[in-house]
Amino acid sequence: MIVTVTPNPALDVSYRVDRLVHGSAHRVRSVRERAGGKGFNVSRVLHERGVGTLAVGPVGGVLGESLRADLVASGVPHALLEVAAPTRMTVAVVDDEDATLFNEAGAALPDTEWDRLLDLVRSRLAGARAAVCSGSLPRGAPPDLCARVVAVARGAGVPVVVDTSGPALLAAARAGADVVKPNAAELREVVAADDPVAGAEALRAMGARAVVLSLGPDGLVAVTEEGRWRAAPPFPVRGNPTGAGDAAVAALANGLVERSPWPARLRAAVAWSAAAVAVPVAGSVDAALARDLHDGVVVEPV
Ligand SMILES: O=P(O)(O)OC[C@H]1O[C@](O)(CO)[C@@H](O)[C@H]1O
């Protein structure tokens, strides 16, 4: 079972429009709502692929209730911390070309609520094979929150994948996260290196055991203690890239559990991530496409 922690959950709303034009009014062709926030997306991908998971995060207010209802309806196992602060909304406007995101910051929680969240995580780690801490932190949250998840999980002998940014990413690397997964912009923001491999090595030098850098349609670069690889999809996939990184994190956590060799983990992560682009909402993978992509993923040492 893989426990995911989402410090800043969201009700994800996706609007489909014909063409997004800045400064214009749009007729929305369809609206979809889902429990979101990166860790919840990771849990949904794992659940849909038959991997045991538990999604943990704080929820509050009316949107928090909608989020809970969606998790129940979709059967994603969860342990939610009820808080007074209202859950935020994120909006993805998707047209034929691209997806444009509007992510609210998320309401502040008192420090005592973060302690309660960590207690909840600790209580649910028994029997877990891996943990994930994923997404942004809401306003005022302790920047070492994912680092504290790493420490709590280490106490339970559970390895952790972290997908966050800024000071939270640095703190998680320094705490010795087993895998950190920034994208290129997030890496540049925290280390002064133009070359992605040099940047990833800088995060490893701080303490992260492995760094997997996501490069959008170009795939992944991994810098690990066993070697360095670049992995790329065999063909481009068009669609909505929102949540593709979450599918990669799901595959990386699953690879950690299965202790598969790094090239195999990267092959799965690229296949799941690219196949997530074909699904119009975040948190799902086109399983048939993932199978088609898998064997063609090009993995080479760098
Ligand atoms: O926590 P943030 O970085 O704001 O990301 C949250 C958002 O990202 C996504 O997870 C896509 O990765 C959306 O589902 C949305 O909830």
Side-chain angles (χ1 to χ4, degrees), residues 38-286:
K38 295 191 190 310
F40 286 153
N41 290 339
V42 172
S43 270
R44 189 191 299 268
V45 167
L46 290 168
H47 177 69
E48 288 184 359
R49 299 195 63 85
V51 180
T53 186
L54 181 77
V56 178
V59 295
V62 175
L63 298 189
E65 274 316 304
S66 300
L67 188 154
R68 182 195 296 278
D70 181 61
L71 289 177
V72 170
S74 48
V76 177
H78 53 275
L80 303 178
L81 181 74
E82 201 64 51
V83 295
T87 294
R88 66 180 171 148
M89 181 186 285
T90 61
V91 178
V93 180
V94 184
D95 67 11
D96 291 337
E97 296 294 314
D98 225 329
T100 305
L101 307 183
F102 300 86
N103 291 355
E104 293 181 7
L109 265 60
D111 284 348
T112 48
E113 300 286 42
W114 295 117
D115 293 340
R116 284 178 62 215
L117 183 72
L118 288 165
D119 286 345
L120 178 60
V121 172
R122 192 179 288 108
S123 72
R124 297 306 182 115
L125 280 173
R129 307 275 305 280
V132 170
C133 186
S134 210
S136 61
L137 305 183
R139 280 193 189 96
D144 64 346
L145 190 77
C146 286
R148 286 159 72 183
V149 170
V150 172
V152 164
R154 175 153 311 128
V158 174
V160 186
V161 181
V162 175
D163 177 10
T164 189
S165 58
L169 168 62
L170 284 176
R174 292 191 179 114
D178 296 83
V179 181
V180 293
K181 192 220 69 68
N183 62 32
E186 289 164 347
L187 182 69
R188 268 197 308 275
E189 189 193 342
V190 295
V191 295
D194 285 334
D195 174 55
V197 173
E201 284 293 9
L203 271 187
R204 284 229 320 125
M206 289 177 201
R209 297 193 60 194
V211 179
V212 178
L213 187 60
S214 53
L215 301 171
D218 294 331
L220 302 170
V221 166
V223 175
T224 78
E225 53 201 356
E226 284 129 69
R228 302 166 172 178
W229 294 270
R230 178 182 291 274
F235 51 85
V237 177
R238 281 175 59 88
N240 177 5
T242 317
D246 305 331
V249 169
L252 293 171
N254 192 44
L256 201 54
V257 168
E258 292 183 339
R259 296 174 191 268
S260 44
W262 269 102
R265 288 186 208 186
L266 297 172
R267 197 178 292 285
V270 168
W272 291 23
S273 174
V277 175
V279 182
V281 283
S284 291
V285 166
D286 181 326

